[in-house]
Amino acid sequence: MIDRPDPPALLDAVARFLLEDLQPQVADRRLAFRLLIAANLATTLAAELRTEEERTARELRRWQELLPGIETGDAARMPVPERARAIRALEAEMAARLRAGRLGPDELRRMRAHVRQSLVESLGFVNPRFDTSEEIE
Amino acid sequence: MAFVTPRELQERIERELSVRTGGPVEVGAIERLAGGACQELYQVDLEVANGEAAGRRRMVLRSDAVRRLPGSLDRREEFAVMGQARAAAVPTPEVRWLGCGLVREGAWAYFMDFVEGESIGRRVVKRPELAGARLRLAADLASALSRIHSLSPSGASGLALPGAEAGKAPAEVALEFLSSMLGRLPTPRPALELVLRWLLDEAPSREERTLVHGDFRTGNFMVGPDGLLAVLDWEFAHFGNPMEDIAWLCVRDWRFGELDKPAGGLASRDEFYRAYERASGRPVRRDEVRWWEVLGNARWAAGSIFQGERYLSGEESDLELVAIARRAVEMEFEALRLIEKGRP
């Protein structure tokens, strides 16, 4: 198994090359901006991969607490792709209950809090500078 | 599809405008500008011999593009709205010479006075040279918006725009639109499903109906050192709830990093709301603004995902489109934050 350099390290190297070696050579502003976007996407993916294992385990456990009684397996013992499938199945279940109008105000509030937590965790790599505090007007 | 060459376009414009103005028209430089998804723009320098537009002038030619975004107007409808807006003293460029087929067969196009200024959102909220303008912009925008909202479906003579027909409430129309957008998403988004549920449960009743600009936000205004020069980009104009425009201006993404200035990255909510109330005589209904702001975030989240789809489907190859789609989580978070915050 080839695991060194691992995928996040490779993506970071790509981002560094784009920013430090290539961007200073590019005069075209449109192209320079897209180089910045490309570097940013690579950095984002590196962070996403580094946190994937723990993040998806947490997310699946939260879903399982919200929708008990649906057999999706033990989050801790599942490989990541299987976990992602389980999360999608639980999301679909929530969507079905939502459309059928089967969720009360308290359940809706708990669902929103859970989904928001997942978004906060995604924002940690999609845009680490995004302010997730409540105090914004 | 091949674009018309500058040379061909120059000849066509000279021919067409000579007929329209009853005298010779010469075209100097033509430059294609970055358009939107539903229009093509050209900057055109003209020398007109006859008529009220006589003289040398720089204009912008706006033509329908091949594709059209759902819910957007074509150039003929946009021309009509801008004419009425100008008549109601909204600062917006003067428009003339509407016609069909100038740039492409079947495509409506018109000319608009070129307005020199800054419209790039990030620069409008940050450039030191515009610090003076920013002190005035809240009042200028409130005044422009109150004039737009002074036009009602019955008063605006014969504007055939979406939302003109009585019967359906603006919130209901917007919810149907959002719901159909969510139905077309490649994969369901739990956050947007939850937001849609909340919007359905909390929809305002008894809404007022006026002309609504539909894309009234920083980035769509031309600004000069003395303040607002022109309101641009009318392709989403419709009849609806005037609070929709106020809410859209406050949507987080249009603050361009100036988070503590919710009104377009330019002013506090209180300052902008008070200026609007003074100018329009209409109270700002904060609960409705909050509802429309949640809706605006959800619609922009879905819209940004569709931008990514334009890349993923192979239709376009601009890397920026996929990056925008990744940012949908920001708008989803913001919609949920506003819901939980419980007050506007």
Side-chain angles (χ1 to χ4, degrees):
Chain A
M1 185 175 160
I2 305 165
D3 63 354
R4 188 172 173 83
D6 66 4
L10 287 172
L11 286 164
D12 279 338
V14 169
R16 186 173 167 189
F17 165 74
L18 293 174
L19 281 182
E20 293 180 11
D21 298 338
L22 204 50
Q23 217 214 8
Q25 309 295 321
V26 174
D28 182 283
R29 288 178 64 171
R30 188 177 181 277
L31 208 54
F33 180 58
R34 274 148 187 84
L35 261 174
L36 208 62
I37 293 175
N40 196 17
L41 284 173
T43 305
T44 295
L45 278 183
E48 183 168 358
L49 288 174
R50 280 199 183 93
T51 56
E52 193 174 36
E53 175 70 36
E54 288 182 19
R55 196 165 30 79
T56 53
R58 280 198 300 274
E59 179 164 10
L60 180 54
R61 272 197 297 272
R62 283 202 311 273
W63 272 117
Q64 289 170 332
E65 279 167 30
L66 273 176
L67 297 169
I70 299 171
E71 190 41 60
T72 41
D74 181 356
R77 306 171 72 108
M78 265 181 224
V80 168
E82 206 175 306
R83 230 180 257 158
R85 268 196 299 279
I87 290 172
R88 274 196 291 276
L90 290 166
E91 285 177 354
E93 174 64 23
M94 181 204 74
R97 293 188 190 182
L98 206 54
R99 269 180 237 123
R102 284 196 281 135
L103 298 174
D106 286 343
E107 277 175 302
L108 284 171
R109 201 168 301 123
R110 280 193 291 126
M111 295 267 170
R112 286 197 298 260
H114 155 62
V115 167
R116 195 147 73 116
Q117 181 56 34
S118 302
L119 292 173
V120 168
E121 296 190 5
S122 296
L123 282 164
F125 54 83
V126 170
N127 183 359
R129 284 171 306 175
F130 189 88
D131 185 346
T132 54
S133 66
E134 294 301 311
E135 301 320 309
I136 297 155
E137 263 305 296
Chain B
M1 177 169 303
F3 288 113
V4 60
T5 67
R7 180 85 205 140
E8 283 170 334
L9 188 57
Q10 177 184 346
E11 286 168 10
R12 285 191 211 169
I13 293 172
E14 286 176 348
R15 230 176 10 244
E16 171 76 12
L17 296 189
S18 299
V19 175
R20 295 284 192 111
T21 61
V25 171
E26 262 183 54
V27 173
I30 293 188
E31 192 188 334
R32 185 149 196 249
L33 304 174
C38 47
Q39 73 262 332
E40 285 169 32
L41 304 180
Y42 298 87
Q43 180 181 302
V44 185
D45 289 335
L46 291 171
E47 182 142 9
V48 180
N50 277 8
E52 53 161 14
R56 294 170 74 94
R57 52 177 68 236
R58 174 165 285 182
M59 301 195 83
V60 174
L61 169 62
R62 278 174 79 94
S63 170
D64 290 342
V66 180
R67 49 179 280 138
R68 184 169 171 172
L69 290 179
S72 76
L73 307 180
D74 68 15
R75 280 345 96 206
R76 177 172 51 164
E77 296 160 319
E78 189 177 89
F79 180 87
V81 177
M82 288 179 79
Q84 296 245 352
R86 252 185 96 80
V90 178
T92 193
E94 177 147 16
V95 289
R96 36 180 124 226
W97 304 320
L98 173 72
C100 193
L102 189 60
V103 177
R104 192 179 328 96
E105 203 175 325
W108 288 94
Y110 62 85
F111 289 81
M112 167 175 106
D113 280 350
F114 179 85
V115 181
E116 182 84 56
E118 184 59 76
S119 66
I120 307 281
R122 193 172 31 82
R123 297 191 196 147
V124 168
V125 303
K126 291 205 162 81
R127 276 220 158 153
E129 308 90 279
L130 296 174
R134 283 193 288 274
L135 295 176
R136 300 194 37 124
L137 269 173
D140 287 357
L141 292 171
S143 154
L145 203 50
S146 75
R147 286 176 180 154
I148 294 171
H149 296 164
S150 72
L151 296 166
S152 67
S154 52
S157 49
L159 272 185
L161 295 179
E165 68 289 344
K168 248 182 210 167
E172 198 182 335
V173 176
L175 278 170
E176 277 175 15
F177 188 77
L178 177 65
S179 169
S180 98
M181 275 180 110
L182 298 192
R184 283 180 285 115
L185 286 178
T187 51
R189 305 278 289 211
L192 294 180
E193 299 278 342
L194 284 163
V195 170
L196 177 65
R197 179 77 258 160
W198 182 87
L199 287 166
L200 287 163
D201 292 342
E202 304 288 329
S205 53
R206 293 187 306 107
E207 291 173 287
E208 194 185 355
R209 225 147 44 95
T210 68
L211 180 64
V212 169
H213 178 279
D215 203 3
F216 194 82
R217 61 158 177 98
T218 305
N220 287 341
F221 317 127
M222 196 58 83
V223 176
D226 297 323
L228 177 66
L229 297 173
V231 176
L232 308 169
D233 296 307
W234 292 81
E235 66 260 27
F236 293 106
H238 59 277
F239 288 110
N241 186 336
M243 299 302 122
E244 178 182 353
D245 275 335
I246 295 175
W248 186 237
L249 177 68
C250 295
V251 160
R252 178 172 180 158
D253 213 28
W254 312 133
R255 302 180 195 175
F256 296 95
E258 300 292 313
L259 276 186
D260 57 341
K261 300 192 181 96
L266 300 161
S268 71
R269 286 185 195 269
D270 276 347
E271 185 187 354
F272 182 73
Y273 292 177
R274 276 202 301 270
Y276 176 83
E277 287 176 341
R278 267 198 305 276
S280 67
R282 174 188 292 112
V284 171
R285 302 169 71 107
R286 292 180 174 236
D287 52 339
E288 287 183 19
V289 172
R290 171 166 164 253
W291 189 88
W292 283 98
E293 197 170 327
V294 170
L295 181 110
N297 275 288
R299 199 166 46 193
W300 180 208
S304 64
I305 294 166
F306 284 119
Q307 300 230 25
E309 290 305 303
R310 278 160 59 200
Y311 183 100
L312 296 172
S313 70
E315 181 190 342
E316 292 191 49
S317 59
D318 185 352
L319 178 69
E320 192 180 7
L321 295 171
V322 274
I324 289 174
R326 289 278 286 188
R327 290 189 48 231
V329 285
E330 295 181 15
M331 285 65 97
E332 290 180 316
F333 171 87
E334 179 65 2
L336 289 174
R337 186 186 74 85
L338 287 168
I339 289 173
E340 247 41 68
K341 200 163 164 62
R343 63 188 170 81

